[in-house]
Amino acid sequence: MGNCLTVGPNEALVVSGGCCGSDTKSYIVGGWAWAWWLVTNSQRLSLEIMTLQPRCEDVETAEGVAITVTGVAQVKVMTDHDLLAVACEQFLGKSIRDIKAVLLQTLEGHLRSILGTLTVEQIYQDRDQFAKLVRDVAAPDVGRMGIEILSFTIKDVYDKLDYLSSLGKTQIAAVQRDADIGVAEAERDAGIREAECKKEMMDVKFLADTKMADSKRELELQKAAFNQEVNTKKAESQLAYELQAAKEQQKIRLEEIEIQVVQRKKEITIEEKEIDRTEKELIATVKRPAEAQAYSMQQLAEGQKMKTVLIAQAEAEKIKRIGEAEASSIGAVGKAEAEKMRLKAEAYQQYGEAAKTALVLEALPKITSKVAAPLAKTNEIVILSGEGSRVTGEVNRLLAELPVSVNALTGVDLTKIPLLQKMASAEA
């Protein structure tokens, strides 16, 4: 048992195998075939057109210029029995993607090799010839794979160094140059013809003008004789007018110069005012604050100095006043003591011995207090004596020595005072 297999015109059906170990293969395009189960194998191969886009980047040409070329190729499996058998042998069982990859590498290899033999100008200026050369070189190789190149065109040619754009600019410049040369030549021819025409016209005009000039000269000679006086007056009038106009122009120029001088003076005045303003501004913003600061520091220093001086003067004045007060006090005390002594002296002279006695009596308590001062600190006096009359004798001895001591201290002899003499005689 088996199956009846059909295939369209865009596919090739390959039936292999068979009974009794048959090795025959059947290739059917747009038809049918019988396939036995288990002993035959059926496979399909697409006959549709495959589009390839070969691309060669930075390939050096014969001149060593690296360019990038992209192209478009249309290929398909050939339907000839022998070539179809070759294609089936090469690609049967592979996907369309794998077939495209094999063909693309083959085309790119041929494209790269052909680029190395051509110049940039040949590639860029005659793309059709370049594409035809690629087809002619690659067709035998892909034909041996059962593949036919239906078409191959160059899609784009460019480089990264602007070499191609420079070629375009050169061509444009050459075309522009030829156009400019053609225009210049046409203008030259037209100018030459125009000059010839003008020359002929000027020759005719010159002859006519010459005749007219002769006539006019005769007329002018006649007119000159009649108009000489008139012209002389006109010349004098014209000279006078020009002289007056020159004078007026000179006055106007002088006025303009004066206006310029006034304007310049005003500008100088404005500049001077601006300089003064700037100077005042600098004085106000820089100098015055600096002077104020310096003055403030100077005043502070002078104030501190004045403070120190005033304090010193106050201290000196205080010491002076204290000294004057003490001197005045001492002087007053001295004057009072002197006056007191004078009065005492007058009293002593007036009263004589009585006054002296009063003076001595006045001084005795003081003397006694001074003598008794050490005894004031004594709590108890013990007189050691075996006899009671001995104590009395000691006291009398002290009293007897007292006048001598007073006489030695004051120069007053107590023994000559009448009162004391009476007291001493009374005691005796």
Side-chain angles (χ1 to χ4, degrees):
M1 296 299 290
N3 291 329
C4 182
L5 303 177
T6 61
V7 66
N10 62 336
E11 285 184 325
L13 177 64
V14 181
V15 179
S16 59
C19 297
C20 302
S22 176
D23 58 354
T24 59
K25 300 179 182 65
S26 299
Y27 303 96
I28 298 92
V29 177
W32 66 276
W34 180 263
W36 297 98
W37 291 352
L38 301 177
V39 294
T40 58
N41 184 25
S42 63
Q43 289 179 299
R44 298 172 185 269
L45 182 64
S46 175
L47 302 178
E48 294 179 354
I49 295 175
M50 294 177 286
T51 301
L52 304 177
Q53 294 183 351
R55 177 185 179 87
C56 295
E57 295 184 356
D58 298 332
V59 179
E60 292 186 358
T61 62
E63 296 175 341
V65 180
I67 64 173
T68 299
V69 178
T70 59
V72 178
Q74 306 295 338
V75 299
K76 68 180 292 296
V77 176
M78 289 185 287
T79 57
D80 183 81
H81 185 273
D82 295 334
L83 296 176
L84 179 60
V86 174
C88 292
E89 182 181 351
Q90 299 289 333
F91 302 114
L92 197 62
K94 292 185 178 181
S95 64
I96 300 296
R97 182 175 181 181
D98 294 336
I99 297 172
K100 284 184 176 182
V102 173
L103 297 175
L104 183 62
Q105 290 180 3
T106 303
L107 287 176
E108 287 181 350
H110 287 291
L111 180 61
R112 187 179 296 272
S113 62
I114 293 172
L115 286 174
T117 61
L118 300 176
T119 63
V120 178
E121 289 80 1
Q122 291 174 342
I123 298 170
Y124 185 75
Q125 295 175 358
D126 195 355
R127 296 190 181 187
D128 293 338
Q129 185 63 29
F130 174 56
K132 182 177 181 300
L133 181 61
V134 174
R135 285 198 303 271
D136 294 341
V137 174
D141 287 344
V142 296
R144 286 192 288 270
M145 300 179 189
I147 303 297
E148 178 184 7
I149 299 177
L150 299 178
S151 67
F152 180 83
T153 58
I154 299 301
K155 183 178 180 182
D156 194 9
V157 178
Y158 61 92
D159 68 304
K160 298 179 180 179
L161 301 176
D162 296 334
Y163 184 84
L164 294 174
S165 61
S166 299
L167 290 177
K169 292 179 181 178
T170 304
Q171 186 65 25
I172 292 171
V175 173
Q176 186 67 34
R177 180 197 60 201
D178 295 339
D180 293 340
I181 292 172
V183 172
E185 290 177 350
E187 291 179 352
R188 181 197 61 192
D189 296 338
I192 292 172
R193 183 57 185 165
E194 183 179 0
E196 291 177 352
C197 295
K198 285 183 178 180
K199 182 178 180 300
E200 293 176 357
M201 181 185 69
M202 292 300 294
D203 291 338
V204 175
K205 184 178 179 182
F206 178 73
L207 292 174
D209 291 341
T210 301
K211 292 180 179 181
M212 292 178 65
D214 292 337
S215 300
K216 286 183 179 180
R217 183 177 66 252
E218 295 295 331
L219 180 63
E220 291 296 333
L221 288 173
Q222 292 178 0
K223 287 183 179 180
F226 297 105
N227 296 330
Q228 183 176 3
E229 186 178 357
V230 175
N231 292 333
T232 302
K233 295 296 183 181
K234 286 183 178 181
E236 292 176 355
S237 177
Q238 184 66 26
L239 290 174
Y241 172 76
E242 291 177 356
L243 180 60
Q244 186 64 31
K247 291 180 179 179
E248 295 296 329
Q249 188 67 28
Q250 186 177 6
K251 290 181 180 180
I252 293 171
R253 181 56 183 167
L254 291 175
E255 293 294 332
E256 290 178 352
I257 292 173
E258 290 180 359
I259 292 172
Q260 291 178 358
V261 171
V262 172
Q263 290 179 350
R264 184 56 183 163
K265 288 181 179 180
K266 289 183 179 180
E267 291 177 357
I268 292 172
T269 303
I270 293 172
E271 291 177 357
E272 290 177 351
K273 289 183 179 180
E274 181 63 21
I275 292 171
D276 294 338
R277 185 193 68 78
T278 305
E279 183 179 359
K280 290 179 180 179
E281 182 179 358
L282 291 174
I283 290 172
T285 58
V286 178
K287 183 178 180 181
R288 293 304 183 192
E291 289 179 353
Q293 186 176 2
Y295 179 75
S296 175
M297 295 177 66
Q298 182 180 1
Q299 291 298 113
L300 290 174
E302 290 181 356
Q304 188 67 28
K305 177 182 177 182
M306 185 62 69
K307 178 180 177 182
T308 306
V309 171
L310 291 176
I311 291 173
Q313 290 179 354
E315 292 293 333
E317 186 67 21
K318 176 180 177 182
I319 295 171
K320 179 180 178 183
R321 294 297 177 86
I322 292 173
E324 290 178 354
E326 290 179 352
S328 298
S329 176
I330 293 171
V333 172
K335 288 180 180 180
E337 291 292 337
E339 184 65 22
K340 179 180 177 182
M341 294 299 294
R342 188 182 64 79
L343 293 176
K344 284 184 178 181
E346 290 178 355
Y348 291 158
Q349 290 178 358
Q350 183 177 358
Y351 294 104
E353 293 297 331
K356 293 180 179 181
T357 302
L359 181 61
V360 171
L361 292 176
E362 184 179 353
L364 281 176
K366 294 180 180 180
I367 296 170
T368 305
S369 63
K370 296 293 184 182
V371 172
L375 296 176
K377 299 179 182 180
T378 304
N379 294 326
E380 184 179 359
I381 299 174
V382 179
I383 298 175
L384 298 176
S385 176
E387 299 177 358
S389 60
R390 185 72 177 269
V391 176
T392 303
E394 291 294 334
V395 172
N396 290 332
R397 187 178 61 80
L398 292 172
L399 292 174
E401 293 177 356
L402 181 61
V404 178
S405 300
V406 172
N407 187 18
L409 293 172
T410 61
V412 178
D413 190 1
L414 295 179
T415 58
K416 294 181 178 182
I417 297 174
L419 180 58
L420 295 178
Q421 289 177 354
K422 290 180 179 181
M423 291 175 63
S425 63
E427 289 180 356

